[in-house]
Amino acid sequence: MNGHIAPPIGGTGLTLIPRATEKQTLKDFKSDQEVRWCPGCGDYAILAAVQSFLPELGLKRENIVFVSGIGCSSRFPYYLNTYGFHSIHGRAPAIATGLAASRPDLSVWVITGDGDALSIGGNHLIHALRRNVNMNILLFNNRIYGLTKGQYSPTSEVGKITKSTPMGSLDKPFNPISLALGAEAGFVARTLDSDRKHLQSVLREAVAHRGTSLVEIYQNCNIFNDNAFEPLKDPGLRDDITLRLEHGLPIVSASKAVRRAANGGIEVVERSTVPEGEILVHDAHNPDPSVAFALSRLDEPAFEHVPIGIFRSVDRPTYDTLMTEQLEEAVAERGPGQLGDLLRGGDTWQVG
Amino acid sequence: MTKQVQQLDRVIIRFAGDSGDGMQLTGDRFTAETAQFGNDLSTLPNFPAEIRAPAGTLPGVSSFQLHFADHDILTPGDAPNVLVAMNPAALKANIGDLPRGADVIVNTDEFTKRNLQKVGYAASPVDDGSLGEWRVHAVPLTSLTVKSLEGFAVSKKDAERAKNMFALGLLSWLYHRPTEATVKFLETKFAKKPDIAKANIAAFQAGWNFGETTESFSVSYEIKPAKLTPGLYRNISGNQALALGLIAASVQAKLPLFLGSYPITPASDILHELSKHKRFGIRTFQAEDEIAGVGAALGAAFGGALGVTTTSGPGVALKAETVGLAVTTELPLLVVDVQRAGPSTGMPTKTEQTDLLMAMFGRNGESPVPIVAPATPSDCFDAAVEAARIAVKYRTPVMLLSDGYLANGSEPWRLPEIEDLPDLSVDFQVEPNDEDGETYLPFKRDPQTLARPWAVPGTPGLEHRIGGIEKADGTGNISYDPNNHDLMVRLRQAKIDGIAQDIPQLVVDDPGGDARVLVLGWGSTYGPIAAAVRRVRKAGGKVAQVHVRHLNPLPSNIGEVLRSYDKVLLPEINLGQLALLLRARFLVDIISYNRVRGLPFKAEELAGVIQDVIDSE
């Protein structure tokens, strides 16, 4: 941003948050703390993308809060010059819920990882998504436990050989997108640490959406699970396997296309074999989540074709607004509470 | 017919029946009438955890005991003078508690062969002479109720269900209770079912008239109003008082109250009560679990709210990690533990004082937390205000230890004057606090209280990060420096220890000033201990009494108090948790008296224990 305050971003996600009165730059959002991720970690790219994205929102910096859990990704808040709360393992969505529900004037962000969000904090994640408090959850998925040095995670592929699974992991992984859609999330997207432009475009939509948004960010752990997402980054492969999800546009990669299958579901076929008119057009705003869910299942079991982008962006009432409305309604009906009247409520009697 | 009226100074009544018989409601109404009349009173509801245990069985018995008097009383009473038994199970489960000569009113309609067999009576005890030592009033409550409701537009089943109101009417006559409020109550409760309202009111009045006319009751009783301290009173349960105390704290602190909670017996009523008062700006959040409840409360506290979570023992166990986070981030947080019998699920509806050591130590690392314990149901109000005062002033989580006995029990409460409530206003940090005038140091402490500043999001220029990782003194930046950690551990401890200078010293009750035995208690044992002390003194015994409200830090003169007596007796509804703490800290050979039966102590029981200690001098 050069010399002017960013114009308001679209959507209703930020309407209650005070806007900055002076121009902001990336520098405004860098804290004075030394960043301590392993050299080469995908988290650096995400941090840089977020730091350069935040000025675009034009919000008062003091009204932005990053809340995190535990794990490599959860160090994120220390490196941003906003308010920040590095909490405990898995609980960031719960803490952020209390904060965002009681302070609608804040832009609240949750930074979490695949272990933090989907293992120890799984319950809070699904309930945050169904409850729909206005906040953005960025789930850094590297498919491994990094901070505890390399055990398999709830998104690791079956058979993963790690320190805790020398003969291979046995449990089927979660697909975070499917999980979020199943939990009634209104905004669900996937992006990639190395694709700053796409990452920022997804964040832009997530912020504009009022309610809980979940953004899965494929993130490389170069120490314990290097190149996990390499096919999506390899210039020779990525254009063929990346199915771009853009609202109103056909869902295609360079060589593949998605269409309705004879069995009622959807399927990926060679793009050349299907007429343009039969290619599925992405509708992110479809109230029915079944197509979005079907899209989320396309990347099973491996990276043959991976949808990237916004799976679903559907407005529904947010918990914080409804909660505030109940308070206002109670006051409108009977006036603001008076402590003296409250204490004297019920059957009283006078002595002496 | 003019009946004899006898004057009494106090009465203990126990209503007992099946869980479905409405005994809690009956007890509540009799309590309300009694409060209205102006007696001092104390109540003890006792009910199974099962919502509907099999009808007519011993585990399904629910009871409500009420002690009322023409003078101030301290407990719900040891042994009932009157038992109302709605079925054989209720008789069998309670008769053993009655002293010789007590009145027993039995609903003979329920004494069928089948119901008698269910609880192991070979023949009806009403007829076989086995109740000879009590004054038995055999009343066919159900059939009398049904008969009185002939011509009313209610089913037979609904008519039968009104038998508790018939019983209430009878007891109301027997003890000269005012009835208008109960009639009004029934009209309101069944406003949407006017036929049911009419039937219940008719059953209530029929019960009264039955007392007036039947020969089974030749005497009625009068208990004059008590001479209580002048003021405006209402009857209140511990959970209600605690909820009102939290609201008062929110008003006095000018902080919006945020309650994060998960339903759990016996704490849920606090959530229910607070959720009714949204016009005070109270946000009540029913979380997905106990951890989310406290997490959301802490998140709200970070945002500048009065963050509260309410639970019972199993919930405190789950919240421990988040309480530790509140300790290290030094944010205000109220953790209300309405203790119940444990371990694990234990006995959810029964009372216990067994969470003291968990409150003290149930977290990893050195993580001191102030602890406040109310002494009586109405004292839950003041204790909640006090816990909030400490939390916001010292930026610390505070444990408030109520229990099932206080939560569900009730007593008359003299309403406080609003202007007498403490001012809990908070000075939020709004500008940089470093000497350079530019930097904000989130862990630069107030030299007096050692509290750190509270700068909430939305405050420009004070953006900062806090978290569970050890923080450098002053800046709050992540620090693994060994000496810094040692310093921070000691600072956090010193902050909590320093609160001792900001709480009242213990005042011993020792009228003669020459007692050699001190009985010390904490929490809900106050009533039974004080009642026992009265008995001992009445019999000529010399005993001093002191009650501890602040369990951590302890009042600054407690060591001196302990050492001033030859013997210190400490009754607890646990296996000696406070005794352990006091012995360790003050090297005083405390005599413990412990029972963990899920029930409060009896005054008579404790009087005997105190007398034994005096006699052993």
Side-chain angles (χ1 to χ4, degrees):
Chain A
M1 308 309 301
N2 299 320
H4 62 90
I5 303 163
I9 201 159
T12 55
L14 299 179
T15 45
L16 300 179
I17 301 156
R19 293 185 52 74
T21 49
E22 285 174 29
K23 64 169 182 165
Q24 296 170 331
T25 67
L26 179 151
K27 243 175 74 187
D28 292 315
F29 289 94
K30 276 189 171 170
S31 78
D32 59 358
Q33 298 300 293
E34 183 194 345
V35 184
R36 289 192 193 169
W37 287 309
C38 308
C41 178
D43 288 350
Y44 283 97
I46 303 172
L47 177 63
V50 171
Q51 281 171 336
S52 66
F53 166 73
L54 287 173
E56 184 186 322
L57 299 178
L59 299 177
K60 287 197 168 182
R61 196 180 55 188
E62 63 268 23
N63 285 67
I64 302 175
V65 186
F66 280 79
V67 182
S68 64
I70 292 291
C72 295
S73 60
S74 289
R75 298 295 180 97
F76 203 88
Y78 288 113
Y79 308 134
L80 287 165
N81 193 15
T82 64
Y83 281 87
F85 199 161
H86 179 210
S87 72
I88 42 179
H89 209 10
R91 316 304 170 201
I95 289 167
T97 293
L99 181 62
S102 57
R103 291 287 306 272
D105 62 325
L106 300 178
S107 171
V108 178
W109 299 67
V110 170
I111 305 293
T112 183
D114 40 321
D116 193 52
L118 300 171
S119 211
I120 194 164
N123 197 34
H124 306 307
L125 181 75
I126 56 174
H127 287 276
L129 293 172
R130 85 174 162 89
R131 197 173 282 126
N132 205 31
V133 177
N134 190 35
M135 60 186 182
N136 311 300
I137 302 176
L138 309 190
L139 195 168
F140 297 10
N141 182 6
N142 56 16
R143 300 191 168 179
I144 200 76
Y145 279 87
L147 200 60
T148 51
K149 300 193 175 174
Q151 301 83 3
Y152 79 110
S153 92
T155 53
S156 296
E157 59 278 16
V158 176
K160 186 85 171 170
I161 307 272
T162 71
K163 278 181 197 158
S164 62
T165 51
M167 295 173 71
S169 62
L170 303 173
D171 31 346
K172 187 171 166 60
F174 268 138
N175 176 327
I177 303 290
S178 302
L179 186 86
L181 289 166
E184 307 288 341
F187 186 98
V188 184
R190 174 187 288 147
T191 184
L192 203 59
D193 57 0
S194 56
D195 187 346
R196 178 180 297 196
K197 196 166 160 247
H198 187 260
L199 199 160
Q200 291 184 336
S201 74
V202 167
L203 293 186
R204 200 168 290 125
E205 297 293 324
V207 167
H209 172 85
R210 197 157 203 292
T212 306
S213 62
L214 180 103
V215 179
E216 179 190 21
I217 305 174
Y218 282 157
Q219 173 247 325
N220 192 45
C221 172
N222 57 321
I223 305 295
F224 295 110
N225 199 22
D226 199 15
N227 295 330
F229 306 102
E230 198 48 30
L232 292 164
K233 302 178 179 181
D234 184 332
L237 291 172
R238 65 184 181 201
D239 293 343
D240 286 322
I241 62 176
T242 304
L243 295 163
R244 294 272 170 182
L245 299 177
E246 287 179 52
H247 180 73
L249 296 180
I251 304 169
V252 292
S253 71
S255 58
K256 294 172 186 169
V258 177
R259 71 169 182 195
R260 297 233 174 242
N263 66 5
I266 60 174
E267 62 186 353
V268 180
V269 292
E270 288 302 318
R271 191 169 172 177
S272 57
T273 66
V274 51
E276 198 71 8
E278 284 178 27
I279 299 174
L280 187 68
V281 173
H282 186 46
D283 179 6
H285 307 315
N286 188 349
D288 175 0
S290 57
V291 179
F293 187 81
L295 286 166
S296 78
R297 309 308 295 168
L298 286 180
D299 53 336
E300 297 289 334
F303 289 129
E304 285 167 27
H305 30 259
V306 180
I308 296 280
I310 296 160
F311 287 75
R312 174 175 166 83
S313 175
V314 174
D315 284 335
R316 62 184 174 90
T318 58
Y319 184 90
D320 48 307
T321 304
L322 296 172
M323 194 179 218
T324 303
E325 282 172 4
Q326 283 195 343
L327 303 194
E328 288 167 354
E329 194 183 319
V331 171
E333 272 175 16
R334 293 169 57 211
Q338 298 296 331
L339 186 57
D341 295 347
L342 175 72
L343 300 188
R344 285 189 297 273
D347 297 336
T348 57
W349 69 96
Q350 185 74 41
V351 172
Chain B
M1 185 175 71
T2 314
K3 289 200 178 183
Q4 193 192 333
V5 177
Q6 198 180 322
Q7 298 291 327
L8 295 176
D9 62 349
R10 64 189 194 100
V11 178
I12 301 163
I13 297 179
R14 187 182 294 175
F15 297 94
D18 203 56
S19 325
D21 282 344
M23 290 299 98
Q24 301 305 319
L25 174 72
T26 310
D28 276 342
R29 281 321 309 166
F30 196 88
T31 303
E33 293 173 2
T34 297
Q36 198 89 58
F37 185 73
N39 294 125
D40 196 15
L41 66 89
S42 173
T43 67
L44 176 66
N46 191 359
F47 44 87
E50 295 79 13
I51 304 303
R52 290 279 185 275
T57 63
L58 289 171
V61 174
S62 166
S63 71
F64 186 102
Q65 184 165 311
L66 168 74
H67 182 187
F68 59 105
D70 66 0
H71 55 279
D72 73 308
I73 50 169
L74 296 154
T75 74
D78 291 354
N81 308 114
V82 185
L83 171 70
V84 179
M86 299 299 280
N87 66 8
L91 180 73
K92 185 151 196 181
N94 292 286
I95 191 75
D97 294 339
L98 266 62
R100 179 182 292 269
D103 286 287
V104 184
I105 299 168
V106 292
N107 177 13
T108 48
D109 287 326
E110 290 294 320
F111 280 60
T112 61
K113 200 173 166 194
R114 197 175 127 75
N115 283 352
L116 291 164
Q117 273 171 352
K118 266 189 199 169
V119 293
Y121 281 128
S124 173
V126 180
D127 306 324
D128 69 3
S130 63
L131 301 179
E133 57 182 294
W134 297 286
R135 285 196 297 189
V136 178
H137 308 268
V139 184
L141 285 169
T142 313
S143 48
L144 283 171
T145 307
V146 171
K147 205 165 168 214
S148 72
L149 296 182
E150 273 172 9
F152 280 79
V154 289
S155 66
K156 181 157 182 270
K157 201 175 158 203
D158 281 334
E160 284 175 355
R161 284 170 62 112
K163 63 182 180 291
N164 63 332
M165 286 301 112
F166 188 96
L168 179 64
L170 174 57
L171 270 289
S172 299
W173 170 81
L174 197 55
Y175 293 99
H176 296 217
R177 303 290 94 180
T179 56
E180 301 78 11
T182 293
V183 172
K184 217 177 254 169
F185 168 84
L186 290 169
E187 282 168 351
T188 314
K189 181 174 167 70
F190 297 112
K192 284 179 185 155
K193 298 173 180 169
D195 288 336
I196 301 282
K198 276 183 206 156
N200 273 281
I201 292 166
F204 176 62
Q205 285 161 343
W208 174 283
N209 293 337
F210 176 76
E212 185 87 355
T213 51
T214 182
E215 285 171 13
S216 181
F217 294 93
S218 55
V219 185
S220 67
Y221 304 94
E222 239 176 41
I223 299 91
K224 293 225 160 65
K227 290 183 191 68
L228 302 174
T229 311
L232 189 64
Y233 282 77
R234 72 186 278 193
N235 190 57
I236 198 146
S237 73
N239 272 347
Q240 265 181 321
L242 206 153
L244 296 185
L246 293 173
I247 298 173
S250 158
V251 171
Q252 294 302 98
K254 303 176 194 76
L255 298 179
L257 199 161
F258 185 98
L259 174 73
S261 188
Y262 186 79
I264 185 169
T265 303
S268 303
D269 281 341
I270 304 172
L271 165 64
H272 302 161
E273 184 66 30
L274 287 175
S275 64
K276 287 188 218 161
H277 301 294
K278 296 192 195 305
R279 61 205 191 100
F280 284 85
I282 297 169
R283 288 179 157 84
T284 54
F285 171 65
Q286 184 175 316
E288 59 270 22
D289 58 28
E290 296 279 0
I291 300 172
V294 67
L298 185 62
F302 181 62
L306 178 63
V308 183
T309 190
T310 49
T311 188
S312 185
V316 177
L318 285 165
K319 294 177 198 295
E321 191 186 12
T322 310
V323 177
L325 180 65
V327 168
T328 197
T329 53
E330 304 190 43
L331 286 168
L333 177 72
L334 245 68
V335 181
V336 178
D337 176 4
V338 185
Q339 300 167 93
R340 69 188 213 192
S344 186
T345 302
M347 301 193 288
T349 57
K350 310 298 177 191
T351 197
E352 220 162 78
Q353 295 184 298
T354 41
D355 294 348
L356 175 59
L357 294 181
M358 174 165 68
M360 276 295 286
F361 302 120
R363 293 163 295 282
N364 62 306
E366 295 288 351
S367 48
V369 162
I371 304 170
V372 177
T376 70
S378 67
D379 185 42
C380 289
F381 178 89
D382 295 319
V385 174
E386 171 66 356
R389 181 188 74 86
I390 295 172
V392 296
K393 180 168 177 185
Y394 292 90
R395 326 283 202 233
T396 176
V398 175
M399 299 281 308
L400 183 54
L401 287 186
S402 178
D403 62 29
Y405 171 58
L406 296 179
N408 293 318
S410 68
E411 63 178 358
W413 175 40
R414 191 164 67 90
L415 301 182
E417 298 296 337
I418 303 293
E419 54 269 26
D420 293 343
L421 295 174
D423 178 11
L424 309 184
S425 307
V426 176
D427 284 324
F428 286 116
Q429 190 72 30
V430 291
E431 50 192 31
N433 59 351
D434 197 10
E435 279 148 19
D436 64 7
E438 288 175 13
T439 315
Y440 172 54
L441 299 174
F443 284 82
K444 183 179 173 184
R445 295 167 191 280
D446 179 302
Q448 219 74 53
T449 60
L450 296 182
R452 76 175 190 90
W454 190 7
V456 299
T459 313
L462 306 191
E463 294 84 359
H464 65 283
R465 278 64 55 191
I466 57 170
I469 301 184
E470 186 58 283
K471 291 147 288 287
D473 184 32
T475 66
N477 291 334
I478 290 178
S479 170
Y480 289 90
D481 173 51
N483 290 329
N484 175 74
H485 178 57
D486 189 79
L487 174 70
M488 292 298 274
V489 166
R490 290 173 197 280
L491 278 172
R492 287 187 289 260
Q493 184 68 49
K495 179 177 81 169
I496 303 306
D497 291 345
I499 297 170
Q501 306 309 317
D502 190 22
I503 58 175
Q505 294 211 326
L506 289 181
V507 179
V508 179
D509 171 38
D510 182 5
D514 55 351
R516 298 317 310 151
V517 173
L518 173 72
V519 54
L520 179 145
W522 69 276
S524 72
T525 52
Y526 172 76
I529 292 175
V533 164
R534 272 188 197 174
R535 284 183 194 216
V536 170
R537 286 177 185 162
K538 217 171 172 182
K542 286 178 180 167
V543 60
Q545 190 200 349
V546 73
H547 208 69
V548 185
R549 174 191 200 69
H550 293 90
L551 282 314
N552 193 42
L554 290 159
S556 56
N557 65 334
I558 189 166
E560 194 186 315
V561 168
L562 290 172
R563 292 188 194 103
S564 301
Y565 292 87
D566 295 343
K567 288 184 174 162
V568 179
L569 171 68
L570 174 44
E572 293 181 83
I573 317 269
N574 58 42
L575 294 185
Q577 298 195 4
L578 180 59
L580 178 83
L581 296 175
L582 296 180
R583 279 168 164 266
R585 180 134 170 231
F586 300 104
L587 300 176
V588 170
D589 189 16
I590 284 163
I591 303 164
S592 272
Y593 178 74
N594 311 107
R595 289 288 181 276
V596 273
R597 301 162 60 241
L599 292 167
F601 287 123
K602 292 183 172 175
E604 188 185 357
E605 166 192 16
L606 289 183
V609 175
I610 295 168
Q611 196 58 55
D612 286 349
V613 174
I614 293 172
D615 293 345
S616 70
E617 272 272 290

